[in-house]
Amino acid sequence: MKADLLVVGGGPAGASLAYLASKAGFRVVVVERKHTPENPTICGEYLPDWDVLKSTLSSYRGMLPFVRDRFYSRELILNRTQTITVEFSGERTTLEFKGAVIDRAKAVSSLLEEAESSGAKVMLSTWYHGSKVCRDKVISKIGSSTLESDYLAAADGYSSLAAKSAGLSSQLPPEDVALVTLQRAKCNHSESDVYMEFSEIAPGGYAFIIPRGGLCNIGVGYPKSHRKKITIAHREFLKKVEAAPTHSRVYAKLLPVGGLVKKPAASRVLLVGDAVGAVMPTNGGGIPLAALTAHLAAEALKSESPEEKYTRLLKPLSQTLKAGLAARKIGEKVVFNRTLARASLKLAPKSAVLAVLSMDTRTRALKLMRVVSTLFL
Ligand SMILES: Cc1cc2nc3c(=O)[nH]c(=O)nc-3n(C[C@H](O)[C@H](O)[C@H](O)COP(=O)(O)OP(=O)(O)OC[C@H]3O[C@@H](n4cnc5c(N)ncnc54)[C@H](O)[C@@H]3O)c2cc1C
C-alpha cells in the first residue's frame, strides 16, 4: 500500500488533518483502532464561547474559520452554557463565561466521511504498530499490512506511539500529565452552568460537571503522579453530587497539560493534537487546538519543507500554552491553600479569573502570572 500521508488516529486531530489534506489533493490513509469513530468519546465536549477562542488564538485568524465551521456549527451544539461555577476550599463563585457543549462524535465522524469522499482511505478497527523513517519515505506497519508513505502524522493522542517509533517523544514530566475520568450521568445540575470543583476529591486537579443535552459529562482529573486511585476519586465525586451514571463503565485517559513538546516535527513526521501537547494547561481543553494543529500541519505539508514550516507555525501557540502553564502553576498554589483561596476569592478581580479561563495572553493578569512563575516556581 502507498500514500502521500499516513494519519495515525481518527480523533479530532486526525480526522481534521485527513479532511484538510485529502481536500488539498494528498492521497491519505487514516488508521483508527476503534470500530466506530469516537466510540466511546472520552471527553467533556465543552468549548469556550467562539469570541473567547477567537481572541485566545488571535495569531491564527486565517485558520479559525475551519475550527468554527467544523466544531462550532449550530447542528453540533447540544446546549449552550452561560456561567462557570468554581468551588475551591469550600468557597463558591459563579462567573459569567459563555460556552457550548457539542456532539463531538458527530463532528469527527462527518470529517472522516468527507475525507473519504475526497479520496482518503479510512481504516477502522486497524491498529498502528510502528514506523521506520527512511530518507525518502516512511514504512509503517498497520494491521497486518505494510504502508509506504511520504509523510507520517502522529494524531494518536498521549503518549503517541507514532511519535515514539519515529524517534520523537511526546512524553512530559508526570506532574504535567493528567489522568482524567469520564462518565455520562443524570445529575441535578443547571443546563446552563459548568461546575469545577478544586478540592481534596481531585488532589492537584479538579472535578467537573458539564451539562450535556439533558445528561451531564462528569469526571475528575489530576496529575498521574498522585497516589490517589482515580476510580475512588471519581466515585467520591459522583456520590457528593448525587449523580446517577447511565452506564457502569468509568473511562479514563491521559492528557498532556504541560504545553507543546520540544520537537513537534522531524524528518517526514509531524505531531498533531494531544500528541504534540496541544492542550490548555489550565483546563485541559484540547478539541479546538487539535483542529488548529491539524490545520497548521495541512498547510505545512503543502510547502517545500513541512517540518520547518510546521515548527514555525506552532510558535504563537507554544507561547499561549506557556502562559497557560504559568497560570496553572500559580493557580495550584492558590486553590489548594485555604487561606490563599479565600483571600483570592475576596480580593482577586473576577476579570483575573476570567483571563485565566479564557487564556487571553494579552491580558495583564496572564502576563503577570508568566513573570511570577518564571521568577519563583
Ligand atoms: C476526560 C476528558 C475530558 C476532556 N474534556 C474536554 C472538553 O470538555 N473540551 C475540550 O476541548 N477538550 C477536552 N478534553 C481534551 C480532548 O479530549 C483532547 O485534547 C482531544 O481529544 C485531542 O484530540 P486528538 O485527536 O489529538 O487525540 P484523541 O482524541 O486521543 O484521538 C486519538 C485517536 O487515536 C487512536 N489511536 C491511538 N493509538 C492508536 C493505534 N496504535 N492505532 C490506531 N489508532 C490509535 C485512538 O483510538 C483515538 O481515536 C478532555 C480530555 C479528557 C481525557
Side-chain angles (χ1 to χ4, degrees):
M1 257 199 290
K2 290 199 174 178
D4 298 325
L5 173 68
L6 169 64
V7 179
V8 182
S16 297
L17 181 53
Y19 168 88
L20 290 162
S22 56
K23 284 246 180 266
F26 289 90
R27 286 175 308 156
V28 178
V29 171
V30 189
V31 282
E32 168 55 57
R33 63 188 172 188
K34 290 177 185 161
H35 304 303
T36 312
E38 292 291 312
N39 185 12
T41 293
I42 309 174
C43 181
E45 302 173 278
Y46 174 79
L47 300 179
D49 190 55
W50 174 247
D51 286 337
V52 169
L53 189 81
K54 232 170 42 185
S55 133
T56 310
L57 300 177
S58 55
S59 316
Y60 294 107
R61 290 229 178 272
M63 312 271 167
L64 293 183
F66 168 72
V67 182
R68 182 195 58 210
D69 296 347
R70 305 307 310 205
F71 289 91
Y72 277 81
S73 69
R74 204 180 284 267
E75 62 275 15
L76 294 176
I77 294 179
L78 298 168
N79 50 285
R80 292 186 189 274
T81 55
Q82 304 298 327
T83 52
I84 294 191
T85 297
V86 191
E87 176 173 324
F88 39 91
S89 296
E91 304 279 332
R92 267 190 194 199
T93 185
T94 297
L95 305 154
E96 301 286 325
F97 189 82
K98 289 188 182 151
V101 183
I102 59 158
D103 184 339
R104 171 176 146 157
K106 194 170 170 184
V108 169
S109 303
S110 78
L111 282 166
L112 288 173
E113 276 160 25
E114 287 178 53
E116 263 187 318
S117 310
S118 302
K121 184 167 180 169
V122 179
M123 300 174 71
L124 298 174
S125 314
T126 307
W127 283 77
Y128 164 85
H129 300 292
S131 299
K132 186 167 171 243
V133 183
C134 309
R135 203 176 51 81
D136 57 348
K137 63 183 172 217
V138 183
I139 301 168
S140 305
K141 186 100 178 57
I142 52 172
S144 53
S145 323
T146 302
L147 180 120
E148 260 184 51
S149 60
D150 292 339
Y151 279 90
L152 167 70
D156 50 344
Y158 186 87
S159 67
S160 163
L161 171 64
K164 193 174 164 200
S165 82
L168 289 169
S169 171
S170 67
Q171 293 276 353
L172 291 169
E175 67 275 14
D176 288 334
V177 181
L179 182 57
V180 194
T181 61
L182 193 95
Q183 208 169 18
R184 213 159 276 168
K186 283 196 187 117
C187 179
N188 189 15
H189 189 78
S190 160
E191 269 281 287
S192 60
D193 181 66
V194 169
Y195 178 66
M196 295 167 84
E197 177 179 309
F198 299 82
S199 68
E200 59 287 352
I201 289 182
Y206 67 87
F208 60 89
I209 302 176
I210 298 171
R212 185 196 194 270
L215 295 171
C216 289
N217 284 330
I218 293 195
V220 298
Y222 50 83
K224 74 165 187 173
S225 51
H226 205 283
R227 281 203 316 244
K228 183 168 182 180
K229 219 173 160 207
I230 197 86
T231 44
I232 293 180
H234 183 87
R235 296 224 162 83
E236 279 173 13
F237 186 57
L238 285 189
K239 194 168 168 207
K240 181 177 173 191
V241 298
E242 296 177 358
T246 55
H247 55 85
S248 58
R249 181 140 180 217
V250 180
Y251 293 105
K253 208 170 153 190
L254 292 175
L255 194 62
V257 286
L260 291 190
V261 298
K262 284 202 182 79
K263 223 167 168 253
S267 175
R268 305 203 164 271
V269 185
L270 308 178
L271 317 190
V272 292
D274 281 9
V276 76
V279 174
M280 284 297 176
T282 40
N283 55 25
I287 300 172
L289 301 186
L292 173 69
T293 52
H295 201 333
L296 301 179
E299 282 310 301
L301 282 166
K302 294 178 198 159
S303 73
E304 293 267 293
S305 173
E307 303 84 350
E308 268 172 40
K309 178 147 191 200
Y310 183 55
T311 306
R312 205 170 51 246
L313 288 172
L314 283 172
K315 286 213 164 113
L317 178 61
S318 173
Q319 290 308 313
T320 301
L321 299 189
K322 276 185 183 154
L325 187 58
R328 197 196 91 210
K329 295 213 157 143
I330 291 176
E332 279 166 4
K333 300 266 175 253
V334 174
V335 294
F336 294 104
N337 177 310
R338 193 169 283 268
T339 317
L340 281 178
R342 292 215 165 125
S344 65
L345 271 183
K346 288 211 173 69
L347 301 174
K350 285 198 171 177
S351 58
V353 185
L354 286 173
V356 174
L357 286 176
S358 65
M359 286 305 307
D360 189 342
T361 47
R362 293 164 307 171
T363 56
R364 272 207 315 221
L366 276 208
K367 283 187 180 142
L368 185 66
M369 284 187 179
R370 181 87 194 272
V371 174
V372 172
S373 143
T374 313
L375 290 176
F376 302 111
L377 300 178

